Amino acid sequence: MTTYRTLGRTGVQVSPLALGAMNFGARGNRDHDDSITIIHRALDAGVNVIDTADVYSQGESEEIVGKALTGGRRAKVFLATKFHGRMGDDPNQQGNTRRWIFRAVEDSLRRLNTDHIDLYQAHRPDPATDFEETLGALADLVRHGKIRYYGTSVHPPAQLVEGQWIAERRGLPRSSTEQIPYSPLVRSNERDVLPLAQKYGLGVLAYGPLAAGWLSGGYRVGARQPKSYREDRIPGRFDIAAPGNADKLAAADALAKLAEDAGLTLIQLSVAFALNHPAVSAVIIGPRTREHLEGYLSTLEVRLTADILDRIDEIVPPGHVFHLRDTGAVPPAVTEPALRRRPLPAPSDTQEGAQPT
């Protein structure tokens, strides 16, 4: 029997595993009927949270989820989706503006075949849009009954605090959740986001417990490079020959050996680790096949001892991250040189070498 957890301060009871729907559709499992069968199996096993996004296969994932929740299943599901990513050629069909949020939510409601969304999340920050505008629009959707709660995904700690302050100052409903990557290989959020979530009562939906496949069991020292559909999308992040990945590969290998010694699969070790953090409400799993799902479901019976958790800390220290891209989003202040460099002074006729007129 599933032991449910409270989602932050919402009072909503959620299953420790949330079904992520990113792999349903063109970017993963293209068979709608098979995807629906996987969703139904998860629900029958006690999973009551489904997390998707409009940008997953450009709406196809939401459509599959909508089909799966017919026949009375919708009422028992805490349904979450996200907005932000580009959804068309129009430059305004993306981002976190009030204009786009109001259109995006209607599109998601139609695809999901529902009259409300339980949790509507800003998929990523939007530096071009005033955060107060975004939160105001989401608060209005709560008042309109289109959504029940709103949250964020991969937002920096300072913005999470700012969001709490904006809500208090304007008398808005507060953000209820934050979604972050978290696994034995990706631990940077232990420094700030997870403690902040506990301080402000945010529910945490942790995704990527297998660190984008690095903890699936295929990344071992001396083994062949595993195939990953992500290789072309994020060059270098998965190349085991890259110097920057040597330490990450060694850690993945050590974690695999630890799991073997404990009589666990690496998947069980990794998911159980993420579930063990007291700030985590649910861990998002992203199966593409029924076999993947069964492997994830087996983690619910796993409890890690203090000795195993201590050994994980020795292999990957708390707060550590191997690759900046593993954190979910690299802030523009890091990627855009113009944001961290003062502009050169304009040429002046008094500068050395200038000829007076």
Side-chain angles (χ1 to χ4, degrees):
M1 182 175 179
T2 301
T3 301
Y4 293 90
R5 301 179 174 197
T6 305
L7 183 66
R9 292 179 180 167
T10 66
V12 175
Q13 298 298 295
V14 295
S15 52
L17 296 183
L19 181 64
M22 183 178 72
N23 286 322
F24 300 144
R27 68 183 292 174
N29 189 337
R30 296 172 179 267
D31 187 326
H32 285 209
D33 289 338
D34 187 48
S35 297
I36 291 170
T37 298
I38 294 169
I39 294 171
H40 288 172
R41 166 62 182 134
L43 298 182
D44 291 342
V47 174
N48 74 342
V49 181
I50 297 179
D51 177 76
T52 185
D54 56 5
V55 77
Y56 295 162
S57 298
Q58 289 292 288
E60 188 180 3
S61 171
E62 288 185 327
E63 291 172 357
I64 292 170
V65 171
K67 292 178 186 177
L69 296 184
T70 57
R73 290 181 181 270
R74 170 66 184 96
K76 295 182 178 180
V77 170
F78 187 81
L79 183 57
T81 192
K82 300 182 283 292
F83 65 90
H84 172 81
R86 179 181 282 273
M87 290 296 291
D89 295 332
D90 186 332
N92 287 311
Q93 288 182 281
Q94 62 179 332
N96 300 353
T97 65
R98 169 178 287 268
R99 183 178 188 272
W100 173 238
I101 289 170
F102 273 47
R103 175 176 170 184
V105 73
E106 296 295 344
D107 291 344
S108 287
L109 287 167
R110 184 187 70 254
R111 288 188 291 260
L112 290 165
N113 190 32
T114 186
D115 63 356
H116 73 279
I117 292 163
D118 293 301
L119 177 63
Y120 201 40
Q121 304 156 98
H123 208 159
R124 291 293 186 273
D126 180 0
T129 303
D130 185 352
F131 195 37
E132 189 164 344
E133 173 176 328
T134 300
L135 299 191
L138 292 169
D140 285 343
L141 291 182
V142 173
R143 295 191 186 99
H144 297 165
K146 303 287 185 179
I147 66 176
R148 298 295 185 257
Y149 307 94
Y150 71 86
T152 53
S153 176
V154 195
H155 278 51
Q159 200 161 41
L160 297 180
V161 175
E162 181 187 5
Q164 297 293 311
W165 177 78
I166 290 171
E168 181 177 353
R169 181 172 59 83
R170 288 190 52 187
L172 305 176
R174 293 175 181 269
S175 175
S176 297
T177 61
E178 165 68 355
Q179 192 171 134
I180 58 167
Y182 187 50
S183 80
L185 279 184
V186 183
R187 305 187 61 174
S188 58
N189 285 304
E190 291 173 334
R191 301 180 182 183
D192 39 41
V193 173
L194 289 167
L196 275 174
Q198 291 174 293
K199 177 178 177 63
Y200 291 107
L202 292 171
V204 173
L205 302 175
Y207 73 86
L210 305 188
W214 276 84
L215 295 176
S216 61
Y219 286 85
R220 301 296 299 268
V221 173
R224 276 184 145 188
Q225 167 81 47
K227 293 299 295 179
S228 172
Y229 74 90
R230 298 179 176 92
E231 289 178 44
D232 294 335
R233 296 174 57 226
I234 315 174
R237 186 183 178 193
F238 300 92
D239 183 4
I240 62 174
N245 287 333
D247 290 343
K248 188 175 181 180
L249 179 64
D253 187 74
L255 290 166
K257 291 175 181 175
L258 175 61
E260 292 167 1
D261 292 343
L264 303 171
T265 67
L266 184 53
I267 292 173
Q268 289 174 325
L269 177 82
S270 302
V271 175
F273 167 84
L275 283 171
N276 186 71
H277 197 288
V280 171
S281 305
V283 170
I284 299 173
I285 57 174
R288 191 176 68 255
T289 67
R290 174 70 178 267
E291 181 182 9
H292 291 164
L293 175 63
E294 298 300 334
Y296 281 121
L297 292 177
S298 71
T299 64
L300 290 173
E301 305 303 321
V302 176
R303 299 293 181 271
L304 301 182
T305 65
D307 289 344
I308 293 176
L309 292 169
D310 288 343
R311 180 65 185 125
I312 292 174
D313 286 351
E314 292 172 3
I315 295 169
V316 183
H320 186 72
V321 65
F322 290 95
H323 196 295
L324 188 59
R325 186 60 181 81
D326 291 341
T327 61
V330 182
V334 173
T335 60
E336 300 296 331
L339 296 179
R340 59 178 185 274
R341 298 176 183 174
R342 290 181 179 273
L344 293 173
S348 169
D349 58 6
T350 61
Q351 289 179 331
E352 184 179 352
Q355 297 297 318
T357 56

